[in-house]
């Protein structure tokens, strides 16, 4: 909640109406998971305000996190136009994309874009699950 509020305060333009919704259970994460995840969320939200809602007006951001045995999936969607058709995340050289992908790998997961649903999907593991990776 606090991260969403801070990013909104920084980037929301006058007159913009952005509805923020999230489906995230209260789960304590270790600092080695929380910090990279917070950086990914900051980048996603910042991009929404800069590009998806660049012209102002109305929009929405939805965040969903699910967990099963220390394996997490974060799904992030905004009501903007999405990435261009055929956009290849693996070939992206923008700093934000590279950082989000690297942070996801640091968390034992991945960073992807689902073109049909226009959602970013971040998979990651908590520290206990990451320690089990050989």
């Amino acid at each position: 909640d606090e991260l969403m509020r801070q990013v909104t305060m920084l980037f929301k333009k006058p007159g913009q109406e952005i509805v923020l919704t999230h489906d995230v259970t209260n789960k304590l994460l270790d600092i080695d998971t929380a910090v990279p995840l917070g950086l990914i969320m900051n980048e996603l939200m910042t991009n929404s305000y800069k590009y998806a809602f660049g012209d102002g007006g109305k929009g929405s951001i939805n965040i969903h996190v699910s967990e099963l045995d220390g394996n997490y999936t974060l799904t992030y969607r905004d009501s903007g136009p999405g990435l261009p058709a055929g956009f290849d995340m693996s070939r992206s050289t923008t700093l934000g994309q590279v950082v989000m992908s690297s942070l996801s790998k640091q968390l034992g997961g991945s960073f992807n874009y689902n073109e049909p649903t226009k959602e970013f999907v971040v998979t990651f593991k908590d520290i206990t699950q990451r320690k089990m990776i050989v």
Side-chain angles (χ1 to χ4, degrees):
D1 287 336
E2 182 63 20
L3 177 61
M4 292 172 68
R5 188 180 71 73
Q6 291 287 334
V7 173
T8 298
M9 283 177 35
L10 285 171
F11 292 102
K12 183 178 174 190
K13 295 172 183 68
Q16 262 186 340
E17 294 180 35
I18 308 301
V19 176
L20 302 169
T21 58
H22 61 83
D23 179 16
V24 181
T25 59
N26 267 346
K27 175 87 171 162
L28 292 177
L29 297 173
D30 60 279
I31 194 76
D32 293 329
T33 302
V35 169
L37 187 60
L39 292 169
I40 292 169
M41 288 296 308
N42 181 73
E43 182 67 19
L44 287 168
M45 287 189 68
T46 299
N47 286 347
S48 290
Y49 279 102
K50 284 184 174 179
Y51 304 112
F53 314 130
D55 296 335
K58 295 182 179 183
S60 64
I61 294 174
N62 180 269
I63 301 164
H64 175 79
V65 177
S66 60
E67 185 256 342
L68 180 62
D69 299 326
N71 296 294
Y72 294 81
T73 301
L74 180 149
T75 306
Y76 181 95
R77 175 183 32 218
D78 63 40
S79 60
L83 294 175
F87 185 84
D88 186 355
M89 291 284 288
S90 66
R91 293 179 178 249
S92 177
T93 58
T94 65
L95 180 60
Q97 299 287 337
V98 171
V99 166
M100 288 187 286
S101 181
S102 295
L103 289 169
S104 298
K105 287 178 185 171
Q106 178 181 326
L107 293 173
S110 62
F111 178 77
N112 296 293
Y113 179 70
N114 185 333
E115 190 172 332
T117 61
K118 299 180 182 177
E119 295 175 328
F120 290 94
V121 179
V122 180
T123 61
F124 63 100
K125 300 176 182 303
D126 67 20
I127 195 162
T128 304
Q129 294 298 318
R130 290 197 307 273
K131 286 181 178 181
M132 297 173 71
I133 298 173
V134 179

